[in-house]
Amino acid sequence: MSPFNGLAAWYSRVAAFNVESLFARRKVAGKPRSVFVHEDLPQDYYDHKQRIKKEHVYPTNQVITSKYTIITFLPRNLLEQFRRIANIFFLAIAILQFFNIFSTVSPGLVILPLIIVLAITALKDGYEDIKRHQSDRSVNYSQTRVLAGGEYTNPNAMQGKSKTFVRGFVPKFVKGEKKSSKKVAGGQSEVLELQHAAPPEGIPEQGHYPPSPTQTQTDDEGIEYDDDEPIEGQEHHHRHSIHIPHPHLGHSQQKRPHWKYTTWEDVRVGDIVKIMDNDSIPADILICATSEDENVAFVETKNLDGETNLKSRTASPVLTHLRTAQACADPRNAFRVDCGAPDTNLYKLEAAVVLPDDTKSPVDISMMLLRGTVLRNTGWVVGVVLYTGEDTKIVMNSGITPSKRSKVERQMNPQVFINLIILACMAVACGIADSLLEQHYFPLDAPWLYGDTQSDDNPRINGLVTWAFALITFQNIVPISLYISIEFVRTIQALWIYFDKEICYENPKNGSVQPTLARSWNLSDDLGQIEYIFSDKTGTLTQNAMVFRECSVGGKVYRGDRDVDVEEVEEEVTKVESAESSSMDVDVNVNVRDSHTGSGSSRPNTGSSATRAHTSSSHPPSHSHSPTNLGTADPKSAKAVKLSEGVLQHFIDHTLKADLQSALTSPSSLSPSLTASPSPSSSQAQLLIGFWTTLALCHTVLTSVDPETGAIEYKAQSPDEAALVQAAADVGFVFRGREKDVLSLTTSFSSGGVERWELMHVLEFNSSRKRMSVVVRKLPDSPSPSSPSSSPSPTPTSSSDSISKKPTSPAKRGWVEPGTILLLTKGADNVIFERLAGGSEGLKRETEQHLAEFASEGLRTLTLAYKVIPEEEYAPWVERYASATVSLTDRETLVERTSNELEQSLHLLGATAIEDRLQDGVPETIADLKEAGIKIWVATGDKLETAIAIGHSTNLIGREDNIVIIRGQQQKSRSVYAQMLGAVQEFFPQSGILEDEGVKEYVQLDGADGGSGGMYPLRRVNTGVSDIVGRDNGSRPGGFVLVIDGAALTDALSDEPHKHLLLKLAMQCEGVICCRVSPLQKALIVKLVKDGLGSMTLAIGDGANDVSMIQAADVGVGISGEEGLQAVNSSDYAIAQFRFLKRLLLVHGHWSYARNGNMIVNFFYKNIVCIGALWWFQIYCAWSSQYVFEYTYLLFWNSFWTIAPVIAIGLFDRVVDDHVLMSLPELYAHSRRGEYFGITRFLIFMIDGIYQSAIVFFLLLYTYFTTTSRTDGYAVYQYEFSTTMAISAVMVVTIFNGLSTAAWTGWVFFALGIEVVLIWAYTAIYSIISPGWFVTPIYGNDHYLFTSAYYWLGMLLVIPLALLPRYAAKAYKFNFMPSDIDRVRYIHKLHPERDFTKDRQNGGMEHLKRSSTALGGGSHKRRKHSRKYPHRPTLFNGSRTDMSTGLRSQSRGFDFAMEENGPALRRLQSNLSEKHGVASGSGHGEEERRKRSTSLLPSFSLSKSIRRNRKPPQSSPLRHEQDGSQSSH
């Protein structure tokens, strides 16, 4: 290895030194544990000194994200700052000047600038970390209920809490819930203050905050009891009541078991806690009991995994008796929980509950509440803490807070290193030359060497002294003022971002203003070099809210009334319409509830038909309403339906209303039987009724009743399922709830009262089936609970929609006769179409065309069908299905096969189109960022179909793009490596990847039995279904998008060969979508690109599950959205909406990088001019390291003479105006490619500085060295001509800085002018100061300087000659090799009012380059240029290739979210199985527990849609081909 390579390797190791590795806590891998409740610790837990062994002492629940403590702040911060080579150099020079022989001025004065730099940076870092400490304390000081009193003690041992840097800020809101939810939502200062500084765990949503009686509570405060009996001397409340005992009461009262409010950081392993609805979970908790049906709880996990649908969790079946504090504190209820080691896997847990008789009950992840999740729709949960703090899954998936350095700062180190090498060479040259000269002249008795015979002053040692003194003389080659200037400029740049109104968000709900905040001030220039963006989906790209947008029924499209102003309607609050309206019409009056309705503290009674009231967690009934019984708990008696959580607006379509009215009034609209031959008019009526009935019955939605409004509210596991049931209610098909296996429905077509349907089977949805079916039997209608059977059933209003109807004629029959068995199905279009009965090809083609149109608008589609099941077919099938469900071998396959038998010969009803509402401006922003050359990766916890659907709607996947899908290896599928190899071979054979050394050795070129020795055969997969998408599959012009799931990523990130191939494949694609990924995988993906390619990365997210990704990226951006502010607190920049990212990068990033890069090279340049003059003087001073200038000119060089222009460049320079950068995103490529800063640009400026220093020095030197300029004939004094040099050099540098400035604003003019004024004024004043005041070496210089012709003519000669090369180079480049920036600046100069948006529409920069009239300012010729990234494609025709199976398909927008095989669905299946007499196995004990009604909270309304209204694209006939194979997509 050459010496140069060795030096480079050494430097790389030093540059890669990670300070965090010295101060990060060495976390020992956790071990399996046993958590004891009411049991003593075993004797083997103690050592010989009866101390608990370390492996059985668990980490505290205190979570710290800050970097410093009071002990580590100074050493860690100094180490971080001394990673700068320049700081080490400045310290060495300062230490050197403490020796008298090298001293120039006071040593204290010399080290002062370094101390100032270190102090300013330390203060900035300390301030940022104080904010982190405040955020940490906001979380750690959150409150939860912990069991106390009675005979309960927790024997499990915990570590001590850490003492942190600052005491922090305890928010006022923890003192109690004194504000109503409306006031909180309206912008209370305490809440808003917290929302800018606290993670989400400490910010309970919708204004609900756990109370704390005092800031420092004692053991006798903050107590809550379960029962309803008030204690003497205490006022008792149900929920959130804090019992403060009377001071004269006996202490025995406090021994009674109770729930005590405890801070999160004091929660211990083994504690029994009580979590209330909407509370965040403080630790990883095993569920013992809940308030709901069969001890089920619902949790929101979007902070953890990014998924938006609610997850159902169930209690451990052997602990369900632990429902009260009394039961939990009873020592007879002893048990222990044997747990596995802490694990990062969010979907895996190995544990078991062990009872005193050694009976074991298994525990899996479905019985756990994980920290970071939020309890929803559940009154309360009692659980035992298993993992705390660093052992919780969310913390294990997070990284430590990194110390980020900008790329510019990292690039500066080698430049400083080059300057230090130059400095060392100059010093060595001076030392050697001085030593040789002294040794030559000392024997000749040179007078200047008289007395050089001392041990520390002789010709042999003086060379070393001169070398050291030369380091001091030329030290300004690395100016310390550069670092002060950079810190100052970056701070002001952060203010520019903060005060930019274009990226300042005004919340329409409460009027609060949220500016973009730079939390890390030293990364502004990195914003201009971003090459890859990694984005979360939920809350970042989407609003996590759905709108039922369109539907196709019987070949007819209903697009909804687009002219309804939803925002205005939402503000209208009207009375709920009565069900007993005499109107015949089905009238929908949308009166959407106030945004705070249902989000208060009151609790609804719920359930499938829930009638119970809450226990201790309930509120008393409200008395503020009208005397009418609005608080009814019976959904069948409710007279309103309000918007569900996650559904933004109602579906209103007057055409549909008219068709339903026609079906209602037409005598022939309803046939007695679906098997009969209906007339054309009745056929459409049947399809309409069947379509909406299917939506109203085929789901797993629960109903609840809001006691405040008496309105039904639907509670679904996913917003899209809620939107479907909500839409059915909006048009008059109101789902009234479920009582065990009976579904209740009210429609206008009922023969009177409430339709009743017996739920017989649920054929569940999963990712392989891609469909859900229910088998139902029509029961005789029941009378309406509010009227006789002839009266109409209550109708839906949204708090709301009111639908008024006439009584249905008794002669009218419903959709089907009572006793009819139906199969109702919804699913993916290709799955439904291949199961349709024959004879409906026309309807199928029309629906297929409508689906393509829906998908082209980025909507999520679902296809509906039904089937009438004859009794003779149902009877044998149910026997086969029952056998399959109890099979002990291959049960899932048998169940799926049996379900598939029934789901044949379906009749098509239509299709739905739901909009997953995007954040404002997301499609346009992504299109612009892609046009800027930035590659965008989306990492989400959602399933594959959802990720692809969002990819389409956000423009990440274009119209002609090809989707390559890599799935985790399953049975009968190819390995992940083989899938990636297949994708490379099929789509990128010419890329050279297969010949890459890191790939070639793993490829088996000759097939499975070939002799190449590779592990993976390289072959083409003949799928036989390529005709579905045409012969041009893989060759479409739009490029490729890679979609990979979390299981595949686990393999792809497992070793270097997999990583290498994945990175090579991803580089060939325009975008990558990673679905079903964990928080840790998000960080690993970022590191893969960051480390593998050395590219600049930016990660953006809004949830706690995005923290590790944000911390791993070069720049982390947090969005303060619905998921809390953990991401914001861990980010470098905080923005309110994703669309602000465009301006942040394209304008502020571009400007900051151009400014800082230009400022730094100009800083180096101006110093090399000064140092060059000093160096040239060494030729004439015997290389003695003497100064040519008077010392003050050198001392003030960086602080006064040349500082203002470079600061002005850093603050006010603009390469192009902001509106131009926003209109032409392609211009970002100049910044992204790093053109404004680098070694090449640095060397150019250095050479320029050396040349100019030579011109200034030698021309003026020889001018003054010829004939003297003095009239008295005396020779010139050194400081006479050197002062001329100094003034000329300052003027050259100032004008040169001006030439390097793109925009000459008033501030730039001022900065340039002030430098010339300063040095001229200083010279004039300094020259007239008498030596009587102090020693002035240039006293009287004004008499000779300003009167000399050499002074004036010398400057006139030197300044143009010095600047000529730079001016000529700029002129040549502008005229013969102009860049895009040059072109745009010139055009903008000629035509300031020019609208560059039009140029972009005509082709962008390509249009400006080609247009013959562009520079002349003539009229623009309209030319049609296809844009590379259209904002909204007309139709999505891109193909999808699943590399795991080889199947290809065409996307029509299918997507549906549901928890697969969750406890709620298993419970429903169990109930149905029991009904049909199916014997339950031993594992079904959980489903046999007693049933309780479900208690659900009202939802809150979300913000208005920002999706642009577009005209539906004109339909184009799609080729319809029947394929026998089921597509994977």
Side-chain angles (χ1 to χ4, degrees), residues 524-597:
S524 56
D525 38 61
D526 278 354
L527 294 172
Q529 305 172 78
I530 300 301
E531 300 172 79
Y532 286 84
I533 291 177
F534 298 85
S535 175
D536 177 41
K537 181 192 77 70
T538 305
T540 303
L541 303 179
T542 65
Q543 294 184 22
N544 188 28
M546 303 292 172
V547 175
F548 189 96
R549 181 61 66 188
E550 303 174 1
C551 63
S552 170
V553 185
K556 184 174 182 179
V557 176
Y558 300 96
R559 304 191 184 277
D561 295 339
R562 301 297 178 89
D563 56 345
V564 176
D565 192 334
V566 178
E567 184 175 17
E568 292 182 2
V569 173
E570 284 183 348
E571 296 176 356
E572 181 184 352
V573 180
T574 62
K575 295 181 179 180
V576 178
E577 293 286 342
S578 171
E580 289 107 0
S581 174
S582 60
S583 171
M584 182 69 180
D585 297 336
V586 181
D587 189 16
V588 181
N589 301 316
V590 180
N591 303 304
V592 184
R593 59 184 168 86
D594 182 88
S595 61
H596 306 294
T597 299

Side-chain angles (χ1 to χ4, degrees), residues 974-1020:
R974 306 165 69 187
S975 69
V976 173
Y977 199 91
Q979 292 179 52
M980 293 190 291
L981 276 180
V984 171
Q985 179 203 17
E986 183 166 359
F987 302 117
F988 312 108
Q990 306 300 322
S991 62
I993 297 177
L994 297 177
E995 288 74 35
D996 188 277
E997 291 297 329
V999 177
K1000 186 166 57 175
E1001 58 181 311
Y1002 295 95
V1003 179
Q1004 185 175 329
L1005 295 174
D1006 299 326
D1009 300 322
S1012 65
M1015 292 187 294
Y1016 300 98
L1018 191 61
R1019 65 186 186 275
R1020 288 191 178 274

Side-chain angles (χ1 to χ4, degrees), residues 901-1114:
E901 292 176 4
L902 191 65
E903 296 168 324
Q904 302 294 328
S905 301
L906 303 176
H907 299 280
L908 183 62
L909 290 169
T912 64
I914 295 178
E915 177 190 352
D916 189 354
R917 192 61 61 84
L918 299 177
Q919 296 283 357
D920 190 6
V922 165
E924 295 79 9
T925 300
I926 288 182
D928 291 340
L929 293 175
K930 289 173 67 176
E931 197 166 343
I934 301 174
K935 291 191 175 182
I936 300 176
W937 292 31
V938 172
T940 177
D942 285 320
K943 62 189 182 70
L944 187 140
E945 286 81 7
T946 302
I948 292 178
I950 294 300
H952 282 305
S953 60
T954 58
N955 282 333
L956 187 62
I957 303 175
R959 178 179 63 178
E960 294 293 335
D961 283 351
N962 303 276
I963 305 172
V964 180
I965 300 174
I966 307 293
R967 293 180 183 267
Q969 185 174 6
Q970 301 173 350
Q971 293 182 355
K972 301 180 182 180
S973 68
R974 306 165 69 187
S975 69
V976 173
Y977 199 91
Q979 292 179 52
M980 293 190 291
L981 276 180
V984 171
Q985 179 203 17
E986 183 166 359
F987 302 117
F988 312 108
Q990 306 300 322
S991 62
I993 297 177
L994 297 177
E995 288 74 35
D996 188 277
E997 291 297 329
V999 177
K1000 186 166 57 175
E1001 58 181 311
Y1002 295 95
V1003 179
Q1004 185 175 329
L1005 295 174
D1006 299 326
D1009 300 322
S1012 65
M1015 292 187 294
Y1016 300 98
L1018 191 61
R1019 65 186 186 275
R1020 288 191 178 274
V1021 180
N1022 185 11
T1023 65
V1025 295
S1026 60
D1027 286 342
I1028 294 177
V1029 293
R1031 298 291 180 182
D1032 61 341
N1033 177 54
S1035 303
R1036 299 175 185 260
F1040 292 83
V1041 175
L1042 176 66
V1043 179
I1044 183 168
D1045 66 14
L1049 275 175
T1050 301
D1051 294 337
L1053 298 173
S1054 60
D1055 54 32
E1056 289 304 320
H1058 279 82
K1059 289 181 183 179
H1060 182 74
L1061 182 57
L1062 173 62
L1063 196 57
K1064 291 289 185 180
L1065 176 61
M1067 289 174 61
Q1068 304 299 316
C1069 301
E1070 291 182 352
V1072 178
I1073 299 176
C1074 307
C1075 52
R1076 287 293 190 190
V1077 292
S1078 67
L1080 189 58
Q1081 284 180 321
K1082 290 185 178 183
L1084 293 176
I1085 295 166
V1086 175
K1087 292 178 180 177
L1088 175 69
V1089 174
K1090 179 181 173 182
D1091 300 335
L1093 301 178
S1095 300
M1096 291 295 294
T1097 58
L1098 179 146
I1100 180 170
D1102 73 324
N1105 60 312
D1106 304 316
V1107 168
S1108 56
M1109 174 177 71
I1110 287 172
Q1111 292 177 335
D1114 292 291

Side-chain angles (χ1 to χ4, degrees), residues 812-834:
K812 297 288 185 186
R813 299 183 176 94
W815 182 30
V816 294
E817 296 287 347
T820 305
I821 301 176
L822 291 179
L823 173 76
L824 308 178
T825 303
K826 63 183 180 184
D829 54 286
N830 60 320
V831 174
I832 300 298
F833 286 165
E834 65 188 15

Side-chain angles (χ1 to χ4, degrees), residues 246-279:
H246 193 277
H248 300 294
L249 287 179
H251 184 68
S252 61
Q253 228 18 296
Q254 297 310 311
K255 292 185 178 180
R256 182 184 179 193
H258 56 267
W259 303 106
K260 182 177 179 61
Y261 284 97
T262 305
T263 58
W264 279 22
E265 65 179 10
D266 291 327
V267 172
R268 307 171 59 201
V269 170
D271 276 347
I272 298 178
V273 297
K274 185 176 184 180
I275 310 297
M276 308 302 292
D277 192 24
N278 285 342
D279 280 357

Side-chain angles (χ1 to χ4, degrees), residues 1276-1315:
V1276 296
Y1277 181 45
Q1278 174 184 334
Y1279 290 151
E1280 184 179 336
F1281 72 83
S1282 68
T1283 302
T1284 305
M1285 288 181 187
I1287 295 174
S1288 299
V1290 168
M1291 296 184 68
V1292 167
V1293 167
T1294 300
I1295 298 175
F1296 183 89
N1297 293 154
L1299 288 176
S1300 301
T1301 305
W1304 282 49
T1305 63
W1307 286 107
V1308 173
F1309 275 105
F1310 172 79
L1312 298 177
I1314 194 66
E1315 301 291 34

Side-chain angles (χ1 to χ4, degrees), residues 165-383:
F165 186 28
V166 292
R167 180 164 181 80
F169 165 74
V170 180
K172 297 178 181 179
F173 68 81
V174 299
K175 294 183 179 179
E177 187 178 3
K178 299 181 180 179
K179 306 293 182 182
S180 69
S181 61
K182 287 189 178 184
K183 290 182 179 180
V184 172
Q188 287 296 314
S189 59
E190 298 94 330
V191 179
L192 293 179
E193 183 174 5
L194 173 71
Q195 288 181 345
H196 287 282
E201 296 101 331
I203 311 175
E205 300 186 18
Q206 300 186 30
H208 166 57
Y209 300 98
S212 170
T214 61
Q215 186 165 328
T216 56
Q217 67 179 35
T218 65
D219 291 340
D220 293 334
E221 297 178 340
I223 295 173
E224 183 175 299
Y225 294 92
D226 285 318
D227 59 320
D228 294 331
E229 298 177 0
I231 301 173
E232 182 182 357
Q234 299 178 4
E235 182 183 356
H236 181 75
H237 302 283
H238 288 275
R239 175 169 167 81
H240 295 164
S241 58
I242 303 168
H243 304 278
I244 303 178
H246 193 277
H248 300 294
L249 287 179
H251 184 68
S252 61
Q253 228 18 296
Q254 297 310 311
K255 292 185 178 180
R256 182 184 179 193
H258 56 267
W259 303 106
K260 182 177 179 61
Y261 284 97
T262 305
T263 58
W264 279 22
E265 65 179 10
D266 291 327
V267 172
R268 307 171 59 201
V269 170
D271 276 347
I272 298 178
V273 297
K274 185 176 184 180
I275 310 297
M276 308 302 292
D277 192 24
N278 285 342
D279 280 357
S280 294
I281 311 302
D284 289 356
I285 296 170
L286 170 65
I287 303 174
C288 297
T290 81
S291 61
E292 309 308 317
D293 262 358
E294 300 181 2
N295 290 293
V296 166
F298 297 93
V299 291
E300 183 182 80
T301 63
K302 59 185 177 182
N303 274 337
L304 194 63
D305 57 17
E307 293 192 53
T308 58
N309 52 302
L310 296 182
K311 306 293 194 308
S312 56
R313 297 289 183 260
T314 188
S316 173
V318 298
L319 301 178
T320 55
H321 57 287
L322 304 179
R323 309 184 64 83
T324 64
Q326 187 72 41
C328 294
D330 191 340
R332 292 173 296 179
N333 294 325
F335 64 93
R336 79 171 189 269
V337 184
D338 293 337
C339 311
D343 189 10
T344 59
N345 193 329
L346 299 176
Y347 310 103
K348 176 184 176 183
L349 178 74
E350 295 178 354
V353 176
V354 183
L355 301 179
D357 60 356
D358 290 335
T359 302
K360 290 189 175 182
S361 175
V363 172
D364 57 27
I365 197 66
S366 68
M367 302 177 186
M368 293 291 294
L369 297 178
L370 301 182
R371 177 172 177 142
T373 61
V374 181
L375 188 67
R376 297 291 192 201
N377 304 342
T378 308
W380 52 262
V381 166
V382 172

